[in-house]
Amino acid sequence: MDQEAAQLEKRHVHDVYESTAPYFNDLQSKAWPRVRQFLQEQKPGSLIADIGCGTGKYLKVNSQVYTLGCDYCGPLVEIARSRGCEVMVCDNLHLPFRDQGLDAIISIGVIHHFSTKQRRIRAIKEMARVLVPGGQLMIYVWAMEQKNRHFEKQDVLVPWNRALCSRLFSDSSQPGRKKPCAHPERSHPYPPPCSVCSCSVCFKEQCHSKRSHSMDYEPLMAGTCCAAISKDGEEENGFYNTLGKSFRSWFFSRSLDESTLRKQTERVRPLKNTEGWANSTICIQPSRHSSLDLDHHEPFSTTEQYLDEDVFVEMSQKQLEWPRAPAAMKHQHGDQQGEVRRNGDGNFLEGTNANSNPEETISVEEQQPNILDSRAFMRYYHVFREGELYGLLKEHVAELHVLSSGNDHGNWCIIAEKKDNWG
Amino acid sequence: MKLLTHNLLSSHVRGVGPRGFPLRLQATEVRINPVEFNPDFVARMIPKVEWAALLEAADTLHLVEVPKGPIEGYEHDEKFLRQMHHVLLEVRTGPSLASLATAG
């Protein structure tokens, strides 16, 4: 299973970040206040690592400590390096550090990219290994339970639309903007993370105030476009509620932990008639089996094709089109509402939405015909249930003692300490 | 990378370490980047230094004036601290060490 997990992560984490890295060079990245606080509270002279540092937004928060950044993604590391950060490429599962060399570690929005429980545990244990006794580890992962929407399943594929990102980005440089989303702290303290807005769903035309929302990499920190907008007046609010409903559906992949039980005969072809679907395309078939992580060793096909067929549906050109007008959206949403369940058991896909009228759509691909192989830009996340991260540490990482845990803007977060008597 | 970073990595002593890969530094790839001297900061780093690795690196890179170990009262010894500051934070090895991922 580990090989399949690595394949999934390569395709839906590493390759995506590599491909999309260039778009994040200039964009605002938010530093979560509690993470900043954790870093600032470290003793002067501490050696700290940010494992999964991306472009390095946390690496210069505290000038009294020595902070190293690591990330698996070369292009992101280069961006961080160009900003003068001490960074390197490395693998969370095989950190290049000696044992007990670091005083503190942060892991912000990283562990949720590992596609099996065992890999998540390994990643945490690896970080524990390199911590000095008494050293602290802060972990943030995306929560399954969100404020205004909820994930139906824990294993999710999140789309990222490059074309839209560049459009929105260029928009943001126009004058006369009101409350740019890129600065949520100014306009709305602690906005909830917009799990919908990983750039792929905020339409240019709908951002009336032409906000650019934060193009930050992780949805955790992503734009507050939807959140900000909700304060702005009813009409927009109404639209975004509708929009939010439409796009609340995520693309859920089956957990690899569950996949080992999948039998060939149970494979069901997802919707063939995809004309009515604007973008929901990648869909899922939630497994009927409970997660059996380690209990079953039944081999299952390791080919990419298998994964694709089971988890994804082919996207047609139309599926990449975006609805243009709010009215159209509202109308179409109504049409689509019932049309989600297939496959008798009702445990089918969550992808939905709204566009059945091609004339009302604008093709995102007008200028960039080959950019939207959406599967290439679908990022995998395992979103955590309440208590799951805590449980993981408690049961599987005995070398760490949990100091505190809580929720921060749609993320479960934990601070743990390496036990003193640990070797 | 800075030598302080290099010092935190595993397997930097001669031979193959537990993690499996030796990190060979190249003398030809040394650069010096000035960094503002902060004696308190440097003093706090001293207890964390793995000296064998540091000395080996310094040797490979043909660095001079590298202390052989912490000296008595180093916290207040400006000369010592400046030397350490230079070695740990100003000497940079070449970009070839950027990628340290040991593929699983």
Side-chain angles (χ1 to χ4, degrees):
Chain A
M1 200 209 303
D2 205 55
Q3 192 193 349
E4 292 74 49
Q7 278 179 355
L8 175 65
E9 289 157 21
K10 178 178 190 319
R11 186 177 187 142
H12 291 292
V13 179
H14 307 311
D15 288 353
V16 174
Y17 280 112
E18 278 214 25
S19 306
T20 55
Y23 289 86
F24 290 82
N25 200 355
D26 300 314
L27 301 173
Q28 295 282 348
S29 290
K30 239 46 77 267
W32 290 105
R34 284 201 1 211
V35 180
R36 297 181 66 96
Q37 184 189 352
F38 176 83
L39 292 168
Q40 281 158 352
E41 285 171 354
Q42 298 304 313
K43 279 200 316 223
S46 293
L47 296 169
I48 301 183
D50 179 350
I51 309 292
C53 65
T55 54
K57 63 179 158 291
Y58 292 115
L59 300 180
K60 299 195 174 187
V61 163
N62 184 345
S63 61
Q64 296 304 302
V65 299
Y66 190 77
T67 313
L68 293 173
C70 304
D71 202 281
Y72 197 90
C73 176
L76 289 178
V77 166
E78 285 312 308
I79 291 170
R81 180 175 292 120
S82 70
R83 294 172 46 191
C85 299
E86 192 74 355
V87 282
M88 68 192 83
V89 173
C90 70
D91 180 350
N92 200 158
L93 298 179
H94 303 93
L95 294 173
F97 302 113
R98 55 179 155 93
D99 293 0
Q100 302 185 33
L102 295 169
D103 297 304
I105 292 179
I106 60 174
S107 167
I108 310 302
V110 179
I111 305 288
H112 56 205
H113 282 309
F114 285 105
S115 56
T116 68
K117 183 175 167 186
Q118 278 312 303
R119 287 167 78 84
R120 296 188 281 270
I121 292 169
R122 276 166 58 193
I124 296 171
K125 286 177 90 75
E126 183 64 352
M127 293 189 288
R129 173 184 71 78
V130 304
L131 270 179
V132 299
Q136 292 185 357
L137 167 62
M138 172 181 255
I139 302 178
Y140 263 55
V141 292
W142 210 6
M144 185 179 185
E145 305 87 344
Q146 295 288 328
K147 191 175 158 193
N148 293 318
R149 62 213 62 179
H150 75 122
F151 295 102
E152 301 266 343
K153 293 278 284 181
Q154 288 189 260
D155 296 280
V156 192
L157 289 162
V158 175
W160 187 90
N161 185 323
R162 189 165 83 186
L164 221 41
C165 265
S166 13
R167 272 195 199 165
L168 285 171
F169 185 54
S170 61
D171 257 8
S172 72
S173 59
Q174 293 172 27
R177 306 207 172 276
K178 193 171 68 138
K179 290 205 261 192
C181 280
H183 301 282
E185 279 136 6
R186 290 216 292 269
S187 50
H188 308 280
Y190 307 111
C194 182
S195 57
V196 173
C197 282
S198 49
C199 289
S200 57
V201 295
C202 255
F203 302 146
K204 176 177 119 149
E205 289 88 339
Q206 309 321 325
C207 277
H208 297 296
S209 57
K210 303 285 195 277
R211 299 178 199 107
S212 73
H213 60 199
S214 165
M215 305 291 180
D216 202 287
Y217 234 59
E218 299 90 20
L220 307 176
M221 327 222 187
T224 53
C225 212
C226 289
I229 280 159
S230 68
K231 307 215 181 198
D232 264 325
E234 214 170 4
E235 186 188 281
E236 258 184 44
N237 192 24
F239 169 73
Y240 272 97
N241 273 340
T242 305
L243 182 58
K245 282 178 200 139
S246 302
F247 293 101
R248 185 186 311 150
S249 48
W250 281 112
F251 307 107
F252 302 112
S253 82
R254 187 183 334 108
S255 160
L256 272 184
D257 292 334
E258 299 169 351
S259 294
T260 50
L261 281 201
R262 194 98 178 116
K263 292 186 159 59
Q264 297 285 338
T265 52
E266 283 172 335
R267 240 196 279 176
V268 175
R269 264 281 169 208
L271 292 179
K272 297 265 185 161
N273 174 14
T274 50
E275 271 153 28
W277 299 77
N279 75 327
S280 73
T281 65
I282 306 304
C283 55
I284 0 57
Q285 300 171 36
S287 169
R288 301 178 214 188
H289 308 285
S290 51
S291 171
L292 290 160
D293 210 325
L294 302 172
D295 296 341
H296 293 256
H297 302 286
E298 216 175 87
F300 72 109
S301 168
T302 64
T303 61
E304 267 196 356
Q305 171 153 19
Y306 173 92
L307 275 178
D308 287 350
E309 284 171 354
D310 254 33
V311 176
F312 307 154
V313 67
E314 284 300 320
M315 286 183 47
S316 72
Q317 190 73 3
K318 241 176 243 186
Q319 293 166 342
L320 305 176
E321 294 162 1
W322 299 89
R324 189 195 294 275
M329 277 293 299
K330 279 181 174 150
H331 170 72
Q332 287 150 10
H333 174 70
D335 286 346
Q336 289 295 332
Q337 241 162 8
E339 194 39 67
V340 175
R341 301 289 174 186
R342 286 293 179 94
N343 184 12
D345 306 14
N347 60 345
F348 183 51
L349 77 119
E350 305 301 331
T352 155
N353 84 42
N355 172 26
S356 55
N357 193 339
E359 295 93 73
E360 290 181 355
T361 65
I362 46 175
S363 170
V364 167
E365 291 202 28
E366 336 181 299
Q367 289 139 6
Q368 297 167 26
N370 59 346
I371 59 142
L372 287 176
D373 175 358
S374 290
R375 270 179 293 172
F377 294 131
M378 301 289 284
R379 276 176 292 162
Y380 169 84
Y381 291 85
H382 170 88
V383 294
F384 280 69
R385 293 181 187 277
E386 181 168 7
E388 182 182 342
L389 182 61
Y390 178 86
L392 216 61
L393 267 72
K394 203 99 175 40
E395 288 164 41
H396 299 282
V397 191
E399 54 268 46
L400 292 177
H401 164 67
V402 176
L403 295 178
S404 65
S405 61
N407 188 291
D408 186 15
H409 305 117
N411 303 298
W412 294 117
C413 42
I414 264 191
I415 297 177
E417 189 176 79
K418 175 99 172 262
K419 289 180 182 165
D420 269 330
N421 53 358
W422 207 270
Chain B
M1 70 172 61
K2 302 184 184 190
L3 286 188
L4 178 54
T5 301
H6 173 264
N7 199 251
L8 289 167
L9 305 175
S10 59
S11 303
H12 33 43
V13 292
R14 261 185 236 285
V16 177
R19 239 55 199 164
F21 60 97
L23 293 175
R24 299 274 177 246
L25 300 177
Q26 309 269 6
T28 50
E29 293 181 336
V30 172
R31 295 192 317 274
I32 309 291
N33 273 28
V35 172
E36 195 180 323
F37 177 59
N38 180 337
D40 288 336
F41 183 83
V42 178
R44 288 180 207 274
M45 290 297 147
I46 302 303
K48 301 176 192 191
V49 169
E50 206 192 90
W51 286 93
L54 181 68
L55 294 176
E56 192 207 336
D59 187 52
T60 306
L61 299 178
H62 307 314
L63 301 179
V64 296
E65 293 197 2
V66 178
K68 300 288 181 250
I71 61 178
E72 183 99 12
Y74 69 81
E75 300 94 325
H76 310 292
D77 187 325
E78 187 175 325
K79 179 178 170 196
F80 173 87
L81 291 177
R82 281 193 178 274
Q83 285 174 339
M84 292 306 293
H85 167 82
H86 179 75
V87 169
L88 291 174
L89 302 175
E90 293 187 326
V91 174
R92 317 290 291 263
T93 64
S96 58
L97 285 182
S99 174
L100 295 167
T102 49

